Amino acid sequence: MGTTSDLSQVEEIIRDHGVNELARVDPADVVTAEWVRMKCRFGCGAYGMCLTCPPHSPTPRQTRRLLDDYTVGYLMWWGSEHPGRKEVVEIEREVFLAGHHKALLLACGPCGLCDPCPLDFPCRHPYAARPAMEACGIDVFETAHRAGFPLEVVTCHEDVPNYYSLLLVE
Ligand code: SF4
């Protein structure tokens, strides 16, 4: 695990990007579940539509193993403003350049950097394309609640959404 000062620097980098709030979480408390993948496959119009979404993204089981490779996670609560892909992945880049070679960011929502995604390799923006937490089988609801953050089902246009990203670091 990074030293306290290392992690203070990571937190500073994240806050500089305008996050609403962040929580340091144990990756063991990031919940993965098979039902998340099923909700992508049956009921999401973005299924199979970009290289960062299922079936191209990691399965819940692969993500569980990935989480086990880390000792620290930062759950970022963006509030109702969806963070741009490039903006949020810039956090990963800056944390990486600060010496955290394992820094990896999981974003939120489909990629959207190309319209439409050409669905072939190589990805057109490999430095900015990252899968969403939910696309990797993370139960974002339970993970957010464990961190003390709000997340409820949005039922109408008047409901306020909440967006989250996860930075894994060592
Ligand atoms: S950057 Fe473009 S090619 Fe790569 S996953 Fe996103 S939409 Fe697809």
Side-chain angles (χ1 to χ4, degrees), residues 40-92:
C40 283
R41 184 166 181 182
F42 301 106
C44 179
Y47 181 79
M49 299 300 281
C50 70
L51 295 175
T52 59
C53 278
H56 310 289
S57 53
T59 65
R61 192 167 296 190
Q62 288 171 323
T63 302
R64 186 77 264 151
R65 290 203 297 263
L66 170 75
L67 291 164
D68 290 344
D69 277 345
Y70 289 87
T71 54
V72 180
Y74 282 103
L75 187 65
M76 301 168 217
W77 175 26
W78 296 99
S80 60
E81 294 298 318
H82 191 293
R85 204 62 145 223
K86 287 184 176 167
E87 171 74 16
V88 80
V89 174
E90 174 65 15
I91 294 172
E92 179 200 284

Side-chain angles (χ1 to χ4, degrees), residues 20-25 29 75 77 140-152 162 164:
N20 194 36
E21 193 49 86
L22 79 159
R24 190 191 300 183
V25 297
D29 281 333
L75 187 65
W77 175 26
V140 184
F141 285 86
E142 179 62 21
T143 302
H145 293 164
R146 286 187 182 191
F149 290 152
L151 187 57
E152 305 302 332
N162 284 288
Y164 291 92

